[in-house]
C-alpha cells in the first residue's frame, strides 16, 4: 500500500479540474418565463404607445415634383431635353402651423446609390486634400478619372452624379413672395465636415485645382460650389458631403436645408407657399421620382411608425405567449409531479 | 557502375537479404568477398519536422484539409479577380487558423525534438579499440559492444554477450515497452558469457546473423557463430538472448552486448506506429453539414448571378447614367463576366462556411480532454493511476456508445488470483489455512494433513511448483515498488524477503499456493530449479521450456529429476490437454473442471509424461533443430511441441479464483439502463464465463439464456440459430441472454451473419466465450458494420484485447496487471472497470452535448452572418456590395463570436454530473447522435435564416421609411445600415448561446458579456480614428452616429427580443409538454434550495460575514480555480448538500437499484 504522500498522479482537487466551479444554473421554466414575458410585454406595449404618440406628433409634407403627370408644373422640364435653368414652381398650402425647426429634404426613388462600383468610385485621398492624388486619381474612379487628358477632381461616379436641383421656398403673403431663409449648415455629419473631408491647404483654393478638370456632369468646379462661404466650399461643401454619404437603399431621402432662422424659426405658419425648383437632375431614364419633403423631428428622428407598431406587436405577442404558457403550465404543471 | 551510383544515392535499396550479418565489434573478416551492409545509426527521430522543412511541410499538411483548402481557393480568387472584399478579409482568418494550428503542431514537434536530443545524447559506454569509451547514444553503430550497468536502460537492441554472473544471465524489466513489471531472465550463449572483461571481449571473434528488423517485441530469430581456436561454434539466438532498447537492467551489475538493431530499426522504434485515425460520428455529421452549406453557398451564388443578369437585361439597370461602365467593362466577354460575377458572389458569401469551426473544435477537444485526466472520480488511489487520454478526437463518441464489448479477466475481474481448489486423481481438494483437504474432510487435524499427502498429491504439487516461468527476487529495494502485487506483504507470502514475479497471475497464485501447502519453489539458477518439498530440497535440471502461447493454450517444462529420470510437466486449458491425455482420471477430472468453472473459478489442467532416455534423445533433437532453424522457426517449433505434448498422464486440475472488481455489477446495470448493450468477450470456458456473467450482473437469473455452443457444421448452426430466433419470438420473457462460443461463432459469422445479428439484437446480454483475440475484433467489426452502424466501445486490459480495442469506435484500456499493451493501443485508459460508468454517462454526455451544440451553433451563427448580406443584394442591384465593413467581416468569427462558444463547449453542464451518473437513462436522450440529427440541424439552420431575416428586414423597415433617425435631422448611409444589422446580430447570436447555456461559471459571464462589450469598445475605437493605412474610411464615426440615435437603440432592443422570445417560448412549451428526461432531472435538481446558487454567488462565492477584502481573495481563488481551505468552505458545503439531496431525489424515483454513491463532499 502506498503512503498518502506518494500519490504523485493524483489529480489536484480544485473546483476547476473537477468541473465544479460555482455556477449559476438558470432554467427556462414557466415559473420564471411567464412573469418575465408578461413584464416585457407590458413594458413594450407602454413603450410602443409612447413611440407611436411621438411619431404621430411629427408633421410631414411631401411634394412630388418629378413631373411625369402632364398637369404637373415641372412636366415641362422633363419633356424638354436636359437643359439648364429649367425652373418650375410648386404651390402648396399649410393648414396648421408646421412646427419648427423644419427640415427640408429631397428624395429620390429607384436610385441605387448602394451599387458597389458606384460607391467605390472615389478617391478618398483626393477628398482629404492630398494634392498628389489631384494629379493621378485612383483607378477606382474610372470612367470618371480623366477628362480631356486632365485628372478629374473630385473624381469618380459618386461625386460626378451629385444631385444638382436647387430649391427656394417662398411664402405667398398677399400675393407677394417672401423668401423663407434656408440654412445650409448642419446638414452633413459633423465628423464628415470637420475631419474626414478636407480641402487642400491652399489659398486661394482655386489654385489647388490647376490642371484639373471638374466632374463631367458638374456645371461648375468644386471650388465654386459655394463661393459666398469659404468654409462651405470645395470638398467640405455640405451638399456635397450629404451626397457623398451613400444611401443604403434605393429609395432615399437626403437632408437639403434646415429652416431655423428669422421669422420661420418657430415653424412654417399657416398660409400659401411656393417652392421654386431649378430642375436639373434627370430621373426619367431609370423611372425614378423626385420629391421634396418638409418634416420636423423629435428626439427619435422623423416620423417613423414602425418602431411604435413593432413594440406594440411584440409586446402583445409576449403577453399572448405568456398567457399560452400559463394555460399550459396550469394544465400540465411540472411533468415530474405525476 | 550505374548500380553503385544508384545505391549511393539511395535509389536502390542496398542488397536486401532476409538476414543481417553483424560482426561483433565490427571486426570484419579479412579474407573473402564481404559486402558491408549498411545500417541505420542509433539516432531516434520521432519528430516530424526540421527547422527547414517545417513551413512547407506543415502548410502542405494543413492544406490537405478540405476546409483550409477551400479558404485558400477563396483567397486566391480574391487575389485574382475584382471582388467585393479585399483578400485580407479571408486571408487574415485563414492565416490565423493556420498559424494557431502550426504553433500547436510546432510546439508538439519541439517537445519531440527535445526528447529525441535527450535520448540521442545520453552517455553510453562502448568497447572500442580495446578500451571502454564513453560516447553519445546516437553514435552507437551496429556491431558495437555496449556496456550497460545496473538500472540503466538499454540504448539499442543488444544480443547479450556476457554479464557479471558466471552463467551469463541477467534480469531485465520491460515495463516501459509492454508494461510487464516482472523480472525476465535473459541468457547469453556459453561461449561468450565467459568474456566478462574488455580484454576478453577484444579477443572475441563472433558473427551474429539475425532476421531483418521486425516490430514484434517477442520475436527474434538468429544465430551466433563464435570462432574459438579456429573452430566455428554455432548457437541459436532467440528473444531470450535479445535485450530490447527501452528495457531496464535489473539485479545485474553490468552486461556486455552487441548492438544488432539501432535507432529507428530497434524494436521499440518500430513499435511507434501511427495509430489508425478514428473519426467520431460528430465529425462525420460535421462534414455532411459542411457539404450542405457548400450547396447552399453555391445555390445563393448562382441565384444571385442569374438574378443579376436578369436585372441587367433592362438597359436602365444595366448602366444608369450615374454609374457608367468603363470601356474595359463594356468590351469584356459576357462569359468571362458571368464567371467572374459568380466568383465574386462566392467570395461574398464564403463566410457561410465557418472557417474557425475546425480550429475551435480542435481546441475544444484538446483542452476539454484534460478534464478526464483531472477527474478524481476516475482516479484509482490504490494503484495511483488516473485516467489517461490518448486521443482527444473521440471525446464526444463516449456519449454515443451503443455496444460495449468487454473482456472478462482483468477487466471485470481484478486479475488477482487466489488458489481455491484442486482435483487430484479424481478427488477434489480445498485449500484451508495452508493445508490441502480432500472433499468432505474438515480441518480437524491441525498438524496431520502434511503427512496425509500421498504420492499422487505430491507429484501434482511438484508439477505445479515446477511447471511455470515464475522468477524470484530476493533483494527488495531494487524492485520497482508496488509494481507487482501490493497485497503480497499483507498476505505474508514473502517470507525471507522472497517474492515471486510472474507474467501470469495464475502461475503466481499457483506457485504461492504450493508453497503454502509445503512444496515451495525456492529458485532457479542457470538451468537448475530448486524446490523445497516439506523441508527437503530437491534440484531439478531444466532441460527445456516449452513456452506458453495463445494457440496451444498450454506450457510445458522438461526436467531431469534428482533421480535421473526425464519428465515433462505440462499445464494448460482443459481443452488443450484432456484430448492428449491417455491415462489418469480423465472423466472425473473433466467433471471436476466443469464444477469449478460453474463456481466461476479459472481452471488449469496439469499433466505429466515420463520419457525414456531414447525418447528424450529424440525430443531433444527435434527441439534443438526447431529452435536453431532460421526459416519458419515458429512453425517448426509448433510441430515439435505437438509431437512432445501428447500421451500425457493426467495429474489433476487447479481452480483459481479471480475476484470481481469493485462495483462491476452496478456499472453493468447502469450501462444497461443507459441503453447500452454489454457483450462480454472472453477466452474462458463456457461455464466459467456464464458464472462470472451471472455474478457480475451481466446475466440475470430471470433471463432466458439461449445457447449457441459447440456447433460443428454449418447446417446445424443455422438450424440452431433459427430455433433461437423462434424462441425469442415465442418465449414471453422480457430479456434474453445469448451464450456463444468461439467455434460456433466463427461458423455463424461465416455463413449466417444476418441470422446471427438478428438473434443478437434481440438479446439484452451476449456472452462470447472461448474467443481468440482476432475473433474478438471480428465480432466488433460485425456489429460496427451492421446496417444500423452502432457506435461500439471495446474495453480490455491485455494484449489479447488490442485488436478489439483498435477495431471498435472507442477503445478503452484498463491499466491492469497484464501489461500496458492495451493501454498503449487504446484511446482512453482507466484503472478500473467501474470508472466506465462515469466516463460514458458523465464525461461522454457532457462532451457530446458540448460539441454538438458547438457545431450547430457555428453553422447557425454563420447563417445569421451571411444571409443579410445575400438579402442586401436585392437592394443594390446585385452589385456584390457588402453589407458590413471588411473588418467586421474578418473579425466576426475570430473575435466577436468565438470565445463564448469555446467557453461554453468547455464548461457546459446540462445537468448536474450526479444526476447523469445516478440516472443512466439520461444517456438515452443523446443516443443515436440525436443532437446532430437532420431535424436539429434543420432547426438551427432555419432559426439562423429566420434570425437573419429579422435582423435584415427589421433594420430595413426602420431605415426604409426614409426618415431620419437622428434628433438633428441628418441621414444615415449604407454603412450605418450594415452596422445596425451587424450590431443586432452580434448581440442576438451571443444571447442565443446564453439561452443555450445551463451552467454559468464566471468564465461564461466574462466571455459572454465581454464579447458584447468588446464589440462595442472595438467599434468605437475602430470608428473613432482615421486609419492611415486603410484604403477607405467608410466606417469613420459610423458606429458613434448609430449609437447617438435613440431610435437605433430601440430598434436594437426590439429586434433582439423578437428573435429570441419565440425561442424562449418554444423551449418552455417543450419543457412542459414534452419534457425529456434530462430536463426533468434539471427541474428536480433545482428544487432543493441548497443548490440554488444564485447568479451573484456564482460570480463571487463567499461566505456571509466575510469582509470585502476576503471576498476579493476568494474571488481571486476562483479565478485560479483553486479550492483552498477556508475561503472555499462554501464550495465544499454546498457540494455536500448537493450530493445528499441528489441521493434523496434520485433514489426515490428511480427504479434502478443503483448504489453509485455520490462523490464525497468532504474531499475539498
Amino acid at each position: 500500500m502506498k503512503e498518502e504522500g506518494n500519490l504523485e498522479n493524483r489529480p489536484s482537487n480544485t473546483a476547476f479540474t473537477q468541473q465544479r466551479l460555482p455556477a449559476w444554473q438558470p432554467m427556462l421554466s414557466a415559473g420564471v418565463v411567464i412573469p418575465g414575458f408578461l413584464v416585457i410585454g407590458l413594458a413594450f406595449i407602454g413603450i410602443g404607445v409612447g413611440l407611436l404618440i411621438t411619431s404621430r406628433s411629427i408633421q410631414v409634407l411631401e411634394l412630388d415634383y418629378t413631373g411625369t403627370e402632364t398637369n404637373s408644373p415641372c412636366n415641362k422640364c422633363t419633356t424638354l431635353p436636359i437643359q439648364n435653368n429649367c425652373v418650375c414652381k410648386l404651390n402648396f398650402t399649410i393648414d396648421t402651423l408646421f412646427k419648427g425647426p423644419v427640415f427640408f429634404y429631397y428624395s429620390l426613388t429607384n436610385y441605387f446609390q448602394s451599387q458597389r462600383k458606384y460607391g467605390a468610385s472615389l478617391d478618398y485621398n483626393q477628398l482629404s486634400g492630398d494634392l498628389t492624388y489631384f494629379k493621378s486619381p485612383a483607378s477606382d474612379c474610372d470612367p470618371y478619372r480623366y477628362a480631356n487628358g486632365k485628372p478629374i477632381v473630385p473624381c469618380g461616379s459618386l461625386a460626378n452624379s451629385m444631385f444638382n436641383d436647387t430649391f427656394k421656398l417662398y411664402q405667398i403673403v398677399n400675393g407677394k413672395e417672401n423668401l423663407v431663409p434656408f440654412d445650409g449648415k448642419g446638414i452633413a455629419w459633423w465628423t464628415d465636415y470637420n475631419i474626414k473631408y478636407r480641402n487642400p491647404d491652399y489659398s486661394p483654393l482655386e489654385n489647388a485645382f490647376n490642371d484639373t478638370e471638374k466632374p463631367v456632369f458638374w456645371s461648375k468646379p468644386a471650388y465654386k460650389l459655394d463661393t459666398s462661404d469659404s468654409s462651405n466650399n470645395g470638398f467640405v461643401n455640405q451638399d456635397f458631403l450629404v451626397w457623398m454619404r451613400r444611401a443604403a437603399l434605393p429609395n432615399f431621402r437626403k437632408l437639403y436645408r434646415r429652416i431655423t432662422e428669422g421669422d420661420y424659426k418657430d415653424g412654417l405658419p399657416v398660409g400659401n407657399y411656393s417652392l421654386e425648383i431649378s430642375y436639373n437632375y434627370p430621373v426619367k431614364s431609370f423611372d425614378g421620382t423626385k420629391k421634396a419633403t418638409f418634416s420636423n423631428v423629435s428626439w427619435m428622428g422623423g416620423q417613423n411608425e414602425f418602431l411604435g407598431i413593432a413594440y406594440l406587436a411584440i409586446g402583445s405577442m409576449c403577453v399572448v405567449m405568456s398567457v399560452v404558457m400559463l394555460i399550459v403550465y396550469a394544465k400540465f404543471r411540472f411533468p415530474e409531479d405525476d | 557502375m550505374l548500380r553503385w551510383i544508384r545505391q549511393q544515392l539511395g535509389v536502390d535499396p542496398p542488397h536486401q537479404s532476409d538476414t543481417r550479418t553483424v560482426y561483433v565489434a565490427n571486426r570484419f573478416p579479412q579474407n573473402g568477398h564481404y559486402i558491408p551492409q549498411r545500417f541505420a545509426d542509433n539516432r531516434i527521430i520521432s519528430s516530424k519536422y526540421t527547422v527547414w522543412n517545417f513551413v512547407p511541410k506543415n502548410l502542405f499538411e494543413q492544406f490537405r484539409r478540405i476546409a483550409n483548402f477551400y479558404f485558400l481557393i477563396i483567397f486566391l480568387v480574391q487575389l485574382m479577380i475584382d471582388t467585393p472584399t479585399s483578400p485580407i478579409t479571408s486571408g487574415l482568418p485563414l492565416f490565423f487558423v493556420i498559424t494557431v494550428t502550426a504553433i500547436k503542431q510546432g510546439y508538439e514537434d519541439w517537445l519531440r525534438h527535445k526528447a529525441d536530443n535527450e535520448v540521442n545524447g545520453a552517455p553510453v559506454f562502448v568497447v572500442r579499440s580495446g578500451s571502454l569509451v564513453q560516447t553519445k547514444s546516437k553514435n552507437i553503430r551496429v556491431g558495437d559492444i555496449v556496456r550497460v550497468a545496473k538500472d540503466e536502460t538499454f540504448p539499442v537492441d543488444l544480443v547479450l554477450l556476457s554479464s557479471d554472473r558466471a552463467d551469463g544471465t541477467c534480469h531485465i524489466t520491460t515495463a516501459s515497452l509492454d508494461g510487464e513489471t516482472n523480472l525476465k531472465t535473459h541468457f547469453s550463449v556459453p561461449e561468450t558469457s565467459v568474456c566478462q572483461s574488455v580484454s576478453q571481449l577484444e579477443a572475441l571473434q563472433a558473427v551474429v546473423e539475425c532476421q531483418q528488423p521486425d516490430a514484434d517485441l517477442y520475436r527474434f530469430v538468429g544465430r551466433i557463430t563464435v570462432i574459438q581456436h579456429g573452430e566455428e561454434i554455432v548457437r541459436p539466438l532467440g528473444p531470450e538472448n535479445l535485450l530490447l532498447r527501452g528495457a531496464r537492467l535489473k539485479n545485474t551489475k553490468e552486461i556486455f552486448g552487441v548492438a544488432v538493431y539501432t535507432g529507428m530499426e530497434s524494436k521499440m522504434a518500430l513499435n511507434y506506429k501511427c495509430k489508425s485515425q478514428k473519426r467520431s460520428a460528430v465529425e462525420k455529421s460535421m462534414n455532411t453539414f459542411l457539404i450542405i452549406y457548400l450547396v447552399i453557398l453555391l445555390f445563393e451564388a448562382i441565384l444571385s448571378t442569374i438574378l443579376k443578369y436578369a436585372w441587367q437585361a433592362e438597359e436602365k439597370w444595366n448602366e444608369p447614367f450615374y454609374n457608367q461602365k468603363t470601356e474595359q467593362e463594356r468590351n469584356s466577354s459576357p462569359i468571362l463576366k458571368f464567371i467572374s460575377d459568380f466568383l465574386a458572389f462566392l467570395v461574398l458569401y464564403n463566410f457561410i462556411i465557418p472557417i474557425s469551426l475546425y480550429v475551435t473544435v480542435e481546441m475544444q477537444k484538446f483542452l476539454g480532454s484534460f478534464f478526464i485526466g483531472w477527474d478524481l472520480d476516475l482516479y484509482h488511489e490504490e494503484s495511483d493511476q488516473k485516467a489517461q487520454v490518448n486521443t482527444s478526437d473521440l471525446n464526444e463518441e463516449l456519449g454515443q456508445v451503443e455496444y460495449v464489448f468487454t473482456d472478462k479477466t482483468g477487466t471485470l475481474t481484478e486479475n488477482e488470483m487466489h488458489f481455491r481448489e484442486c482435483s487430484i486423481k479424481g478427488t477434489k481438494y480445498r485449500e484451508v489455512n495452508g493445508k490441502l483437504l480432500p472433499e468432505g474432510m474438515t480441518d480437524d487435524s491441525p498438524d496431520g494433513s502434511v503427512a496425509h499427502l500421498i504420492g499422487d498429491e505430491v507429484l501434482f504439487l511438484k508439477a505445479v511448483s515446477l511447471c511455470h516461468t515464475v522468477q524470484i527476487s530476493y533483494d527488495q529495494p531494487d524492485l520497482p515498488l508496488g509494481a507487482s502485487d501490493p497485497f503480497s506483504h499483507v498476505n505474508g507470502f514473502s517470507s525471507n524477503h522472497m517474492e515471486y514475479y510472474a507474467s501470469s497471475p495464475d502461475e503466481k497464485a499457483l506457485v504461492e499456493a504450493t508453497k503454502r501447502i509445503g512444496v515451495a519453489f525456492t529458485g532457479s539458477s542457470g538451468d537448475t530449479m530448486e524446490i523445497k518439498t516439506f523441508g527437503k530440497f530437491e534440484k531439478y535440471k531444466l532441460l527445456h521450456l516449452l513456452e506458453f502461447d495463445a494457440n496451444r493454450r498450454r506450457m510445458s517444462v522438461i526436467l531431469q529429476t534428482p533421480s535421473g529420470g526425464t519428465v515433462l510437466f505440462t499445464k494448460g486449458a482443459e481443452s488443450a490437454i484432456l484430448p492428449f491425455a491417455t491415462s489418469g482420471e480423465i472423466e472425473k477430472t473433466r467433471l471436476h473442471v466443469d464444477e469449478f468453472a460453474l463456481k466461476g473459478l479459472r481452471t488449469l489442467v496439469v499433466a505429466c509424461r515420463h520419457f525414456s532416455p531414447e525418447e528424450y534423445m529424440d525430443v531433444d533433437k527435434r527441439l534443438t533443430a526447431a529452435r536453431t532453424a532460421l526459416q519458419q522457426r515458429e512453425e517448426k517449433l509448433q510441430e515439435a511441441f505437438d509431437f512432445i505434448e501428447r500421451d500425457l498422464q493426467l495429474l489433476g486440475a487447479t481452480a483459481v479464483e479471480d475476484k470481481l472488481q469493485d462495483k462491476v455489477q452496478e456499472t453493468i446495470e447502469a450501462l444497461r439502463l443507459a441503453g447500452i448493450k454489454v457483450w462480454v468477450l472472453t477466452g474462458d470456458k463456457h461455464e466459467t464465463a456464464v458464472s462470472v456473467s451471472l455474478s457480475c450482473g451481466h446475466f440475470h437469473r430471470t433471463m432466458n439464456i439461449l445457447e449457441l455452443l459447440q456447433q460443428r457444421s454449418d447446417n446445424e448452426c443455422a438450424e440452431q440459430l433459427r430455433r433461437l430466433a423462434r424462441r425469442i419470438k415465442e418465449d414471453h420473457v422480457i430479456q434474453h441472454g445469448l451464450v456463444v462460443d468461439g467455434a460456433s461463432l466463427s461458423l455463424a459469422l461465416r455463413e449466417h451473419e444476418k441470422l446471427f445479428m438478428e438473434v443478437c439484437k434481440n438479446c439484452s446480454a451476449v456472452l462470447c466465450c472461448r474467443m481468440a483475440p482476432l475473433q474478438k475484433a471480428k465480432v466488433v467489426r460485425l456489429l460496427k458494420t451492421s446496417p444500423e452502424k452502432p457506435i461500439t466501445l471495446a474495453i480490455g486490459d491485455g494484449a489479447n484485447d488490442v485488436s478489439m480495442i483498435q477495431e471498435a469506435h472507442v477503445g478503452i484500456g484498463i491499466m491492469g496487471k497484464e501489461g500496458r499493451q492495451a493501454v498503449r493501443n487504446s484511446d482512453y485508459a482507466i484503472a478500473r472497470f467501474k470508472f466506465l460508468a462515469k466516463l460514458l454517462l458523465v464525461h461522454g454526455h457532457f462532451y457530446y452535448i458540448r460539441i454538438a451544440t458547438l457545431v450547430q451553433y457555428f453553422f447557425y451563427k454563420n447563417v445569421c452572418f451571411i444571409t443579410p448580406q445575400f438579402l442586401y443584394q436585392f437592394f443594390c442591384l446585385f452589385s456584390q456590395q457588402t453589407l458590413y465593413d471588411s473588418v467586421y467581416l474578418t473579425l466576426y468569427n475570430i473575435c466577436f463570436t468565438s470565445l463564448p462558444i469555446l467557453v461554453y463547449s468547455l464548461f457546459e453542464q446540462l445537468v448536474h454530473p450526479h444526476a447523469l451518473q445516478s440516472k443512466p437513462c439520461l444517456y438515452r436522450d443523446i443516443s443515436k447522435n440525436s443532437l446532430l440529427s437532420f431535424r436539429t440541424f434543420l432547426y438551427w439552420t432555419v432559426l439562423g435564416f429566420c434570425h437573419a431575416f429579422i435582423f435584415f428586414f427589421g433594420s430595413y423597415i426602420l431605415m426604409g421609411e426614409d426618415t431620419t433617425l437622428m434628433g438633428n435631422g441628418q441621414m444615415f448611409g449604407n454603412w450605418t445600415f450594415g452596422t445596425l444589422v451587424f450590431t443586432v446580430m452580434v448581440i442576438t447570436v451571443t444571447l442565443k448561446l446564453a439561452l443555450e447555456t445551463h451552467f454559468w461559471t464566471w468564465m461564461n459571464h466574462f466571455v459572454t458579456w465581454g464579447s458584447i462589450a468588446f464589440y462595442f469598445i472595438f467599434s468605437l475605437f475602430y470608428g473613432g480614428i482615421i486609419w492611415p493605412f486603410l484604403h477607405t474610411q467608410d466606417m469613420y464615426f459610423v458606429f458613434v452616429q448609430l449609437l447617438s440615435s435613440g431610435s437605433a437603440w430601440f430598434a436594437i432592443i426590439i429586434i433582439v427580443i423578437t428573435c429570441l422570445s419565440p425561442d424562449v417560448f418554444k423551449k418552455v412549451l417543450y419543457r412542459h409538454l414534452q419534457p425529456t428526461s434530462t430536463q426533468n432531472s434539471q427541474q428536480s435538481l433545482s428544487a432543493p434550495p441548497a443548490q440554488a446558487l444564485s447568479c451573484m454567488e456564482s460570480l463571487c462565492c463567499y461566505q456571509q460575514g466575510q469582509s470585502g477584502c476576503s471576498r476579493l481573495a476568494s474571488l481571486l481563488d476562483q479565478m485560479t480555480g483553486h479550492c483552498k481551505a477556508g475561503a472555499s468552505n462554501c464550495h465544499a458545503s454546498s457540494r455536500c448538500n448537493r450530493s445528499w439531496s441528489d441521493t434523496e431525489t434520485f433514489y426515490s424515483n428511480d427504479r434502478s437499484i443503483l448504489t453509485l454513491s455520490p462523490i464525497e463532499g468532504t474531499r475539498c
Side-chain angles (χ1 to χ4, degrees), chain A residues 9-11 14 18-19 24 103 105 112 114 116 140 144 186 188-189 246 248 251 287 300 302-303 311, chain B residues 316 322 324 374 376 381 384 850 872 875 879-880 909 962-964 969-971 973-974 1000 1031 1047 1050 1121:
Chain A
N9 289 326
R10 188 193 172 98
T14 64
Q18 299 310 309
Q19 300 200 63
W24 174 51
F103 292 76
Y105 298 87
F112 287 85
S114 51
R116 175 166 68 94
D140 289 337
Y144 301 107
W189 289 16
R246 290 197 286 150
N251 301 339
D287 292 339
M300 60 173 284
Q303 195 178 52
Y311 268 88
Chain B
K316 64 181 177 193
Y322 52 86
Q324 301 275 311
W374 283 338
L376 271 172
E381 204 147 310
D384 188 28
R850 288 167 185 173
Y872 190 55
F875 302 94
S879 59
Q880 299 125 14
Q909 296 183 14
D962 292 348
T963 51
T964 174
Q970 292 169 359
M971 300 299 296
N974 66 324
W1000 286 83
H1031 182 57
S1047 298
F1050 276 104

Side-chain angles (χ1 to χ4, degrees), chain A residues 54-61 96-105 253 255 259 265-268 293-304, chain B residues 963-964 966-969:
Chain A
T54 318
S55 174
R56 289 271 159 90
S57 70
I58 292 166
Q59 294 158 292
V60 179
L61 177 70
T96 53
L97 171 72
F98 206 102
K99 266 191 251 152
V102 178
F103 292 76
F104 178 71
Y105 298 87
R253 210 182 258 180
L255 185 55
I259 303 169
K265 80 170 181 244
D266 294 328
L268 298 174
T293 310
F294 297 92
S295 168
N296 45 25
V297 298
S298 66
W299 59 267
M300 60 173 284
Q303 195 178 52
N304 194 338
Chain B
T963 51
T964 174
M966 284 197 282
N968 61 8

Side-chain angles (χ1 to χ4, degrees), chain B residues 1105-1116:
Chain B
Q1106 272 184 317
S1107 68
C1109 194
S1110 59
R1111 261 172 66 184
L1112 197 68
S1114 81
L1115 187 66
L1116 273 173

Side-chain angles (χ1 to χ4, degrees), chain B residues 49 103 147 167 249 309 427 461 532 562-563 706 789 813 866 915 919 933 952 1024 1083 1150:
Chain B
Y49 308 107
I103 287 173
R147 191 203 73 164
D167 57 0
L249 184 65
Y309 283 90
T427 315
L461 290 176
K532 194 169 143 197
S563 53
L706 311 171
K789 305 231 174 305
I866 282 311
K919 285 184 149 187
S933 67
F952 184 80
Q1083 214 116 41
D1150 204 300

Side-chain angles (χ1 to χ4, degrees), chain A residues 1-2 4 6-30 33 37 40 44 47 51 103 105 110-118 124 140 142-144 157 161 186-191 195-196 217 245-255 258 281-282 285-287 297-307 310-311 314 317-318 321 324-325 328-329 332-336, chain B residues 82-84 316-317 320-326 329 371 373-376 379 381 384 386 486 843 850 872 875-877 879-881 907 909 954 956-958 960-977 995 998-1001 1003 1005 1026 1031 1033 1036-1038 1041 1047 1050-1051 1053-1054 1057-1058 1061 1064-1065 1067-1069 1071-1073 1075 1080 1082-1084 1086 1093-1095 1098 1118 1121-1123 1131 1135 1138 1163-1164:
Chain A
M1 283 297 203
K2 299 221 160 199
E4 192 62 29
N6 240 351
L7 305 172
E8 292 161 22
N9 289 326
R10 188 193 172 98
S12 66
N13 183 9
T14 64
F16 179 74
T17 54
Q18 299 310 309
Q19 300 200 63
R20 46 180 159 80
L21 285 172
W24 174 51
Q25 287 163 282
M27 253 198 322
L28 290 173
S29 64
V33 175
F37 266 45
I40 291 176
F44 274 21
I47 295 172
L51 289 174
F103 292 76
Y105 298 87
N110 258 347
Y111 193 103
F112 287 85
Q113 260 203 321
S114 51
Q115 283 188 79
R116 175 166 68 94
K117 287 266 169 59
Y118 175 76
Y124 175 73
D140 289 337
D142 271 331
Y144 301 107
S157 308
S161 60
I187 57 172
W189 289 16
W190 187 90
T191 46
I195 296 160
K196 194 170 160 185
F217 288 1
R245 184 150 291 279
R246 290 197 286 150
L249 301 165
N251 301 339
F252 59 85
R253 210 182 258 180
K254 282 185 186 288
L255 185 55
R258 301 187 299 161
Y281 208 72
S285 64
F286 53 88
D287 292 339
V297 298
S298 66
W299 59 267
M300 60 173 284
Q303 195 178 52
N304 194 338
E305 308 248 302
F306 164 69
L307 271 183
Y311 268 88
I314 300 298
M317 195 179 82
C318 284
M321 284 197 285
V324 171
M325 283 188 283
V328 169
Y329 180 65
F332 295 88
R333 289 275 162 177
F334 283 110
E336 69 269 24
Chain B
D82 171 41
T83 55
K316 64 181 177 193
W317 299 127
F321 79 89
Y322 52 86
N323 189 19
Q324 301 275 311
K325 288 182 177 171
T326 60
E329 283 170 327
F371 285 120
W374 283 338
D375 195 338
L376 271 172
Y379 168 72
E381 204 147 310
D384 188 28
K386 56 183 183 179
H843 285 287
R850 288 167 185 173
Y872 190 55
F875 302 94
C876 69
L877 284 182
S879 59
Q880 299 125 14
Q881 172 64 48
F907 298 108
Q909 296 183 14
Y956 170 76
I957 300 171
L958 181 76
E961 287 198 14
D962 292 348
T963 51
T964 174
L965 295 175
M966 284 197 282
N968 61 8
Q970 292 169 359
M971 300 299 296
F972 285 150
N974 66 324
W975 296 117
T976 321
F977 177 66
L995 281 182
H998 294 85
F999 196 75
W1000 286 83
T1001 63
M1003 267 178 286
H1005 284 292
I1026 298 263
H1031 182 57
Q1033 306 293 338
Y1036 186 62
F1037 256 73
V1038 162
Q1041 291 280 359
S1047 298
F1050 276 104
I1053 293 168
I1054 191 77
I1057 297 285
T1058 311
S1061 61
V1064 175
F1065 181 62
K1067 275 177 191 292
V1068 173
L1069 279 196
R1071 176 180 286 280
H1072 286 272
L1073 291 177
N1080 279 345
Q1082 286 173 342
Q1083 214 116 41
S1084 49
S1086 69
L1093 261 171
S1094 74
C1095 175
S1098 76
Q1118 278 158 36
H1122 271 282
C1123 184
H1131 298 209
R1135 179 75 173 166
R1138 247 192 269 191
R1163 199 191 284 126
C1164 187

Side-chain angles (χ1 to χ4, degrees), chain B residues 371-656:
Chain B
F371 285 120
I372 293 182
W374 283 338
D375 195 338
L376 271 172
D377 298 341
L378 301 183
Y379 168 72
H380 189 240
E381 204 147 310
E382 281 81 52
S383 59
D384 188 28
Q385 277 165 328
K386 56 183 183 179
Q388 185 183 325
V389 180
N390 293 336
T391 169
S392 57
D393 290 342
L394 298 170
N395 292 344
E396 67 276 4
E397 205 82 335
L398 293 173
Q400 290 296 303
V401 174
E402 288 162 78
Y403 282 90
V404 166
F405 297 94
T406 164
D407 175 43
K408 190 181 70 71
T409 313
T411 307
L412 298 179
T413 63
E414 288 280 359
N415 205 6
E416 193 171 282
M417 309 298 170
H418 293 283
F419 177 79
R420 286 284 176 261
E421 294 182 56
C422 63
S423 155
I424 305 169
K425 264 252 161 154
T427 315
K428 274 207 280 188
Y429 291 84
R430 266 180 315 131
E431 191 211 343
V432 180
N433 299 331
K435 278 152 211 138
L436 213 53
L437 289 181
E439 200 180 22
M441 293 251 301
T442 44
D443 188 18
D444 50 2
S445 51
D447 53 355
S449 60
V450 172
H452 289 312
L453 291 178
I454 47 166
D456 281 330
E457 291 164 355
V458 175
L459 183 63
F460 173 80
L461 290 176
K462 278 184 186 170
V464 172
S465 62
L466 286 169
C467 180
H468 56 73
T469 53
V470 173
Q471 297 291 329
I472 292 184
S473 171
Y474 293 96
D475 40 355
Q476 283 279 315
D478 275 335
L479 291 164
L481 200 71
S484 181
D485 185 1
F487 299 102
S488 50
H489 300 269
V490 184
N491 294 349
F493 295 165
S494 59
S495 55
N496 311 332
H497 300 289
M498 187 169 90
E499 208 167 339
Y500 293 123
Y501 280 86
S503 44
S504 149
D506 292 79
E507 274 188 350
K508 189 175 168 216
L510 288 175
V511 174
E512 278 164 358
T514 57
K515 184 181 166 203
R516 281 197 303 270
I517 293 162
V519 183
F521 170 61
T522 51
S524 57
S525 60
D527 44 11
T528 330
M529 290 177 99
E530 197 180 52
I531 55 170
K532 194 169 143 197
T533 320
F534 306 115
K536 198 176 82 197
F537 282 100
E538 278 179 28
K539 278 194 176 151
Y540 287 82
K541 194 173 173 216
L542 178 65
L543 299 171
H544 284 286
L545 176 72
L546 284 59
E547 300 87 353
F548 177 84
D549 68 66
N551 297 326
R552 241 166 74 242
R553 302 171 59 84
R554 60 179 181 256
M555 62 127 356
S556 310
V557 287
I558 302 177
L559 299 167
Q560 192 179 33
T561 57
S563 53
T566 313
V567 66
L568 169 125
F569 288 123
T570 182
K571 97 175 180 280
E574 115 277 359
S575 64
I577 289 188
L578 288 183
F580 304 101
T582 49
S583 59
E585 298 284 342
I586 298 174
E587 279 320 305
K588 267 191 183 168
T589 309
R590 193 192 298 275
L591 217 70
H592 287 162
V593 167
D594 287 349
E595 273 171 43
F596 293 150
L598 267 179
K599 289 183 196 164
L601 301 175
R602 294 163 65 90
T603 56
L604 284 173
V605 175
V606 184
C608 70
R609 180 182 175 190
H610 295 277
F611 290 118
S612 64
E614 298 79 47
E615 272 177 326
Y616 177 68
M617 288 284 278
D618 184 26
V619 164
D620 187 45
K621 216 171 69 200
R622 277 170 187 268
L623 273 176
T624 318
R627 282 196 200 279
T628 45
L630 272 186
Q631 310 286 320
Q632 293 176 314
R633 179 182 286 182
E634 257 119 78
E635 288 82 347
K636 285 180 182 160
L637 271 177
Q638 280 303 323
E639 244 171 69
F641 289 170
D642 287 343
F643 174 79
I644 296 162
E645 292 164 331
R646 56 179 192 170
D647 301 332
L648 301 169
Q649 180 199 343
L650 192 63
L651 292 176
T654 59
V656 170

